[in-house]
């Protein structure tokens, strides 16, 4: 089955530690995205990538880093510089091109930092 | 002004009712519009794209009004399983080809 996987589903970390969230897709999509969702709020874009080896900052990139070494994979690192890292993190993918295409989401990772 | 605005609700309706949600967007250059559904503590899932001429998928009808910059979603014959948060989504910042999500409208269908 084609889809997007994220792991782990739940993650607990101590303050001051970096943590990397995994996102893999086998939809053959060129574009991938990371969002953060806080309770009762909408999705906010952290980083996105339209093609391998290239990525751009979204609206709230501070304290996060990404890499895009393979088409299928777009891991997100939450660094100790991120002031409020506890949130629901969602990865998405879409076709890329001159238009804007619908995005498909993975199941998400709930990160709790104490 | 937010790029995409929605009434947060909740909309509490009985089974079988017809319910409508509206959403306004600020960027008149936006070209792509979608409705997503998000269940509690789950990921958003694409419900339908919204086309200029309006489109229907079973009990769901989406309309786009470019002049007034709003999008609507109509749900007929509501089911208990329709209870969820409905997200209005627009490609607000066309320069970066990314989507902007509204905060969502919560629907609770009651027996």
């Amino acid at each position: 089955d084609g889809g997007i996987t994220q792991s782990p589903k739940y993650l607990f970390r101590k303050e001051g530690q970096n943590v990397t969230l995994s996102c893999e897709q086998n939809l053959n999509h060129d574009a991938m995205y990371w969002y953060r969702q806080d309770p009762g709020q909408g999705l906010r874009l952290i980083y996105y990538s339209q093609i391998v080896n290239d990525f751009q900052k979204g609206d709230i990139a501070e304290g996060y880093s990404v890499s895009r070494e393979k088409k299928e994979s777009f891991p997100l690192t939450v660094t100790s510089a991120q002031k409020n890292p506890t949130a629901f993190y969602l990865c998405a993918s879409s076709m890329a091109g001159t238009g804007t295409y619908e995005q498909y989401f993975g199941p998400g990772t709930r990160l709790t930092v104490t | 002004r937010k790029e995409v605005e929605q009434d947060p609700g909740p909309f509490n309706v009985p089974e079988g009712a017809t319910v409508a949600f509206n959403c306004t967007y600020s960027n008149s250059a936006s070209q792509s519009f979608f409705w997503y559904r998000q269940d509690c503590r789950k990921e958003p899932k694409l419900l339908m794209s919204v086309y200029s001429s309006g489109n229907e998928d079973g009990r769901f009808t989406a309309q786009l009004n470019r002049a007034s910059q709003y999008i609507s979603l109509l749900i007929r014959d509501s089911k208990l399983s329709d209870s969820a948060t409905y997200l209005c989504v627009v490609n607000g910042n066309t320069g970066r080809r990314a989507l902007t999500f509204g905060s969502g409208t919560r629907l609770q269908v009651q027996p």
Side-chain angles (χ1 to χ4, degrees):
Chain A
D1 282 329
I4 304 175
T5 56
Q6 290 185 244
S7 60
K9 191 170 181 180
Y10 298 96
L11 189 54
F12 299 88
R13 279 293 182 270
K14 295 285 187 190
E15 207 172 296
Q17 294 178 333
N18 291 356
V19 59
T20 297
L21 311 185
S22 165
C23 177
E24 304 276 331
Q25 54 98 1
N26 61 3
L27 299 168
N28 201 33
H29 285 163
D30 284 305
M32 296 186 75
Y33 310 81
W34 274 106
Y35 295 89
R36 166 187 174 133
Q37 188 175 35
D38 293 283
Q41 311 233 353
L43 279 67
R44 291 185 289 166
L45 182 65
I46 304 172
Y47 268 98
Y48 65 106
S49 166
Q50 296 285 330
I51 197 166
V52 174
N53 292 323
D54 188 43
F55 49 83
Q56 280 78 44
K57 292 182 180 181
D59 299 315
I60 54 165
E62 187 176 343
Y64 299 98
S65 66
V66 293
S67 62
R68 186 85 188 279
E69 295 174 5
K70 296 188 300 181
K71 186 175 182 178
E72 303 79 19
S73 178
F74 190 39
L76 173 75
T77 297
V78 184
T79 75
S80 55
Q82 168 49 233
K83 292 191 177 12
N84 296 297
T86 295
F88 186 36
Y89 289 89
L90 289 155
C91 178
S93 72
S94 74
M95 293 193 293
T98 54
T100 304
Y101 301 95
E102 58 268 23
Q103 295 177 13
Y104 296 91
F105 286 84
T109 292
R110 289 195 180 276
L111 174 64
T112 302
V113 176
T114 56
Chain B
R1 183 184 173 188
K2 287 185 182 176
E3 283 192 70
V4 180
E5 294 210 57
Q6 296 182 251
D7 180 344
F11 283 56
N12 295 304
V13 303
E15 266 187 292
T18 295
V19 60
F21 308 135
N22 286 334
C23 157
T24 57
Y25 61 95
S26 61
N27 188 340
S28 59
S30 296
Q31 294 294 323
S32 301
F33 309 91
F34 309 95
W35 282 101
Y36 278 72
R37 170 196 169 124
Q38 186 173 24
D39 292 291
C40 189
R41 299 179 69 80
K42 300 281 193 181
E43 75 274 24
K45 293 189 176 173
L46 179 67
L47 181 65
M48 57 198 305
S49 302
V50 186
Y51 304 122
S52 295
S53 54
N55 48 302
E56 188 174 306
D57 183 1
R59 297 182 293 109
F60 299 85
T61 300
Q63 297 277 353
L64 168 63
N65 184 319
R66 285 190 186 273
S68 301
Q69 292 180 217
Y70 81 77
I71 307 152
S72 64
L73 177 68
L74 183 78
I75 306 176
R76 289 181 300 279
D77 188 23
S78 300
K79 312 288 184 195
L80 294 175
S81 57
D82 293 334
S83 297
T85 297
Y86 291 83
L87 308 177
C88 174
V89 184
V90 174
N91 71 323
N93 186 333
T94 54
R96 95 185 160 185
R97 294 206 297 272
L99 297 177
T100 300
F101 288 74
S103 300
T105 298
R106 194 154 68 86
L107 171 66
Q108 185 66 49
V109 181
Q110 293 161 340

